[in-house]
Amino acid sequence: MKRTYALKKKCLGLTIGSLLMAAGLHAQSTTGSIYGQVPVEKDLSVVVRSDSGLTREVGIDSQGRYNATQLPVGTYTVTLMRSGTAVQTHDHVTVNVGLGVNVSFSEPVAAKQLSGVSVTANSTPPIDVSTVDSRTVITAAQLAALPLPRTAEAAALLAPGAVADSGGFTSTTGVPLVSFGGSSVQENAYYINGFNTTDPYLGQGGITLPYGSIDQEEVYTGGYSAQYGRSDGGVLNMIGKSGTNQWHFGGQMLYEPEGLRSAQDNTYYANGTPPSPVAGNLFDPNSKDSHWTSVYDAYVGGPIIKDKLFLFASAEMSDEGGQTVNNVTSSTPAENYKTRLPKWYAKVNWNITDKNLLELTGASSKEEGLGTYYNYDYNAQQETTFRGYANDTKSGGDMWSAKFTSYITDDLTFTAMYGKMKTFNYSVPVDYDPDATYIAGATYQNPAYNNGVPNNGQQTIASLYNPYYRTSNLRASLSYVIGNHTITAGIDNLTSGAFDQGNNSSGPGYYWNYGQTPDPTVPLIPALGVGALANYPNGASGYYVSKNMFIGGANLLTKQRAQYIEDQWQATDRWLLSIGLRDDGFTNLNAAGQSYMAQNKPQWAPRLGFSWDVNGDGSFKVYGNAGRYYLGAPLAPGGPANGYISTQQYFTYSGIAPNGTPIGLTQVSPPVSADNAFGQTPDPRTITVQNLKAEDQDEFILGFTKTLGSSWIYGAKLTRRILRHDIDDYCDIQTVINKAASEGITDVNNASCYYINPGQSNTFAVEDPNGVFHNVTLTNAQMGFPDMVRKYYGLESFLEHPFDGKWYGKIDYVFSRSYGNNEGMGETDIQALAATQTTYWDFPQLMEYGIGPQGEDHTHQLKAFGYYQLTPEWQVSANLTLVSGGPRYCLGLYGPGQTDPVGYGSLYQWCNGLPSPPGAAGRLPWEKQLDIGVRYRPAFAAHKLGFSLDVVNITNNQAPLNEYPEYNTGTVPAAPNPQYGTVMLLQTPRYVRLGVTYDY
């Protein structure tokens, strides 16, 4: 924890004037600062020295102020010097990422003082008046003490306003993701030692560090400076540990046994049962799942050359295994699995000179899985026959970066960082049969042909893919202190590419999907020209099958460029102003290197923040921030730019073969596609509307922090977020064709969908028979859409007891609302990621009655956590989370007549013929969780050996976090869907973690 030191109140006003913040004091940085006040005397200077040998001598201005900026995080000794002789010293000064620590020497320096004098810590809790933003810094000591799941995301949930994702989305390495301030989980950014490690394809998390190698984790929830962008959610900035002048090594073993894990609750059909139920109303026998985890990690760090060259290296291996019994509709009923999650981290620090530093970082985080599938008897609830091998999978990746810092003068600092990352999503079949066809929807097979037993066939692989991604990140800045101003200018460039991004249906290139309609006398999908089944042989029963084909994907590239300038201005002794301007540009290219989405005109993102030291003594801070944040599209939405096939062809059938495929087929329709995706490679001009604006959000923050007595801090903050523009796909091409025709233009381009800015006018490029393109503009009203809305407000209050050598505790409460008709890049109700997978804005009928609480809306959030050092040997800790439930959804067929006008099935904001905006079906229950931990470090082992016991979710609450939203089966006329309201995602049950640690 950060410490403050003795300082006379009469000097504090002048001390605050020394806050000439340099470039390092912002989100995603890797540095902090030490500032303060010294007596105004001749021949004085201040020397700061880190535990890794970095030494800087800092000048003092005419008012006795000094400021050592852009210091690597760590522990420092701060010494007041007179003519080269130490006269006073502060020891054990901790610099936290992005923050400033006040270290002042307030007493006159007598001439006879020739040796270092220790200065005692101030009894007043620290308030950092040098920052204008909103962040939570979690230290390695807190991570080791609290009973948290061992992930960066779990630590991030300690931040106010951060909630577990309601859609059940996980990172590329299988870790549950976090939503900040009502934003989609795809709108977050991840950093390791200043390098952007965010998943470039979907924005689905990012590479993280081995848990024990995190020195500090900065969770950024708003208000960051112009130096950073590309996030309108939250930021997880991990600072890895570094070597020091003392060698240290250690290791840890952790085990989560299956025998001490509670069973997950079973889930049941909530809206009746299918025509041929597999096991009554049982939907998913979760109680038959099993899971165990073991973790081994080790580290070593120290000086290669004392005071010059340092190394820290660590490795972590997590093994997980068990059995998963999938729900009764699954084509792969049961899986025995084994998962390995290897991680490593290494960092080299080189103090070339006291004015020139070089940091080299390497890290890797992966998930590797294998398994076997079995058929399952859901009535007897046991495995039966071997079904096949699961894919061998590997996801995650590796990164490296280099950062150079040069303190050219006391007033001029140059920094540059460059790095690369390679990630992948490897999934290769084992013992794959290319002649077998995948079967879906087997519970809707005609029971007359399968004896009432669903036949899933032998194919266990639905699709084939093996893509990889490359990312490079270049940052450079120059910071200059002039008077009361610190002016910083720089660039922030990010380039990402997707390669071999193919995704094809397995087997013969298609799969069979069975279905059933209760009234075969009416057209099945009239919007796509699929007629009534009764008009075809074997159709009177209402049973049918569709032949589904998907072929798509190719190489993609995105270039994101930014320039910025910022002034940190200490306007008065009590007022610090942060004034910045950033320009973000984004270019997305298809496989041919053609730009299909470009936002290269200036996109100005102003940032303005302030910090007011109300009393002039650091006991009461009022702060605020206003800014705009731009976010470029990830790689995933570029798939349509290369063309793809996504079709369904409908049949009746007279039997089912032993391999699960239909026989005696009668064609009901040719291949159809709701999005007109028949494999045509589109002209880039027909992918994106003209002058497309990037996604951007405005954010406003106002808050205060105040001391309460000598041991407490409390405060409150109001946050307002407004999404101004979004990007999504629009597939109502006939409306564009009709508007062009009204202007005398015949549109011959066979476009599937356009990327638009929803909720406003858009200008489309249409091609006439002569190959000439014309601009055709449709207003929002002509497109049939409402205004695009996503608004969030949150009121936070907290009370904190900083660690005093005995205990630490914090409690915070957030009242918030996230409402509108657009979640951004994700859609929690149907568990969809990326704009191409959501239903938002595809057709106007899908947006009717769409405004309401969004999927990440949780009105009440109460968190309390802390730890208590009972004795030097024993420590106890706890973490309490109480979060009110998100909205329930009921998505059905369209209108009172329950039709399907655009071929999307049961995905309209209607339920049983009535309008059904988000939340109309009520709210999910509260999520309640208490975790407890005990740590024991016996004195006989000099406290180097430790034992731990953590119980996560000790009360075993298993609240539903998401439920199946589709009220109908997707056929016309309306047929109630037995899965409607069935739980899709449950809170993790209670489990126990045992650990042994040794640190030398």
Side-chain angles (χ1 to χ4, degrees), residues 80 566 569 657 704 757 810 862 929 974:
L80 181 64
E566 183 177 60
W569 175 26
F704 77 89
N757 290 131
K810 183 177 182 180
L862 178 68
Q929 184 161 318

Side-chain angles (χ1 to χ4, degrees), residues 613-627:
D613 179 25
V614 179
N615 297 327
D617 61 0
S619 65
F620 184 15
K621 167 187 171 180
V622 176
Y623 63 97
N625 204 292

Side-chain angles (χ1 to χ4, degrees), residues 256-265 291 929-932 950-958 987-993:
E256 297 171 12
E258 162 60 23
L260 296 179
R261 187 182 186 91
S262 297
Q264 186 85 73
D265 291 343
H291 181 84
Q929 184 161 318
L930 174 63
D931 312 324
I932 62 169
D950 293 321
V951 184
V952 178
N953 192 8
I954 190 170
T955 57
N956 197 30
N957 287 306
Q958 297 189 37
Q987 192 176 347
T988 302
R990 176 178 54 233
Y991 65 91
V992 175
R993 182 172 59 226

Side-chain angles (χ1 to χ4, degrees), residues 223 240 246 292 331 364 383 675 727 783 830 870 877 886 919 941 998:
Q246 291 185 337
W292 58 265
S331 296
S364 176
E383 288 182 354
D675 296 335
I727 297 174
M783 297 171 71
I830 62 171
L870 295 170
S877 59
Y998 185 80

Side-chain angles (χ1 to χ4, degrees), residues 453-726:
V453 179
N455 186 338
N456 291 301
Q458 295 302 312
Q459 182 61 268
T460 60
I461 308 303
S463 60
L464 306 173
Y465 56 95
N466 185 20
Y468 69 96
Y469 316 95
R470 293 189 184 276
T471 298
S472 64
N473 190 190
L474 170 66
R475 298 184 56 88
S477 68
L478 194 63
S479 180
Y480 183 57
V481 179
I482 178 171
N484 290 336
H485 299 265
T486 297
I487 299 173
T488 303
I491 60 171
D492 176 12
N493 296 341
L494 189 71
T495 300
S496 298
F499 305 93
D500 297 334
Q501 188 53 49
N503 182 8
N504 303 324
S505 299
S506 63
Y510 59 85
Y511 68 92
W512 294 107
N513 186 24
Y514 288 91
Q516 190 264 348
T517 177
D519 189 351
T521 63
V522 300
L524 188 65
I525 308 177
L528 300 180
V530 184
L533 298 180
N535 298 331
Y536 300 89
N538 305 302
S541 64
Y543 288 96
Y544 65 92
V545 69
S546 64
K547 183 180 182 179
N548 294 36
M549 177 180 295
F550 185 90
I551 301 174
N555 295 349
L556 297 164
L557 189 69
T558 177
K559 298 179 180 180
Q560 305 187 28
R561 303 289 183 261
Q563 308 82 40
Y564 60 86
I565 187 168
E566 183 177 60
D567 181 13
Q568 300 288 313
W569 175 26
Q570 192 67 48
T572 72
D573 286 347
R574 299 188 182 187
W575 283 87
L576 171 69
L577 300 179
S578 175
I579 306 167
L581 187 64
R582 180 183 176 94
D583 175 27
D584 277 293
F586 310 99
T587 302
N588 294 68
L589 300 99
N590 63 14
Q594 299 170 313
S595 171
Y596 66 88
M597 186 184 296
Q599 295 116 357
N600 293 322
K601 294 181 180 179
Q603 297 183 116
W604 300 116
R607 313 282 171 82
L608 175 64
F610 75 90
S611 174
W612 175 30
D613 179 25
V614 179
N615 297 327
D617 61 0
S619 65
F620 184 15
K621 167 187 171 180
V622 176
Y623 63 97
N625 204 292
R628 174 164 293 179
Y629 304 88
Y630 283 95
L631 184 64
L635 291 164
N642 290 320
Y644 67 103
I645 296 173
S646 180
T647 62
Q648 305 82 43
Q649 186 174 12
Y650 291 85
F651 301 86
T652 59
Y653 57 98
S654 63
I656 297 174
N659 64 1
T661 61
I663 57 177
L665 295 172
T666 299
Q667 179 177 310
V668 177
S669 76
V672 296
S673 174
D675 296 335
N676 195 33
F678 292 100
Q680 67 274 21
T681 300
D683 187 293
R685 288 170 287 187
T686 64
I687 288 293
T688 304
V689 296
Q690 306 297 298
N691 301 315
L692 184 78
K693 296 180 176 64
E695 178 178 333
D696 66 297
Q697 178 172 270
D698 288 343
E699 181 183 72
F700 307 92
I701 296 173
L702 181 63
F704 77 89
T705 307
K706 195 174 187 303
T707 58
L708 179 63
S710 61
S711 302
W712 295 85
I713 301 172
Y714 72 99
K717 180 183 70 175
L718 178 64
T719 300
R720 179 70 162 163
R721 288 178 162 186
I722 304 172
L723 188 68
R724 299 297 188 186
H725 297 97
D726 190 23

Side-chain angles (χ1 to χ4, degrees), residues 150 209-214 241 248-254 295-301 312-318 343-346 996-1000:
R150 290 171 55 84
L209 291 173
Y211 194 72
S213 298
I214 300 174
K241 293 180 178 179
H248 294 276
F249 65 87
Q252 186 175 49
M253 294 182 295
L254 300 169
V295 180
Y296 306 90
D297 65 34
Y299 71 90
V300 62
F312 183 91
S314 66
E316 177 183 288
M317 176 60 73
S318 177
K343 291 185 176 184
W344 61 262
Y345 165 73
V996 179
T997 304
Y998 185 80
D999 297 289
Y1000 178 79

Side-chain angles (χ1 to χ4, degrees), residues 865-878:
F865 55 93
Y867 45 93
Y868 192 93
Q869 196 72 42
L870 295 170
T871 71
E873 296 181 311
W874 289 93
Q875 182 190 75
V876 294
S877 59

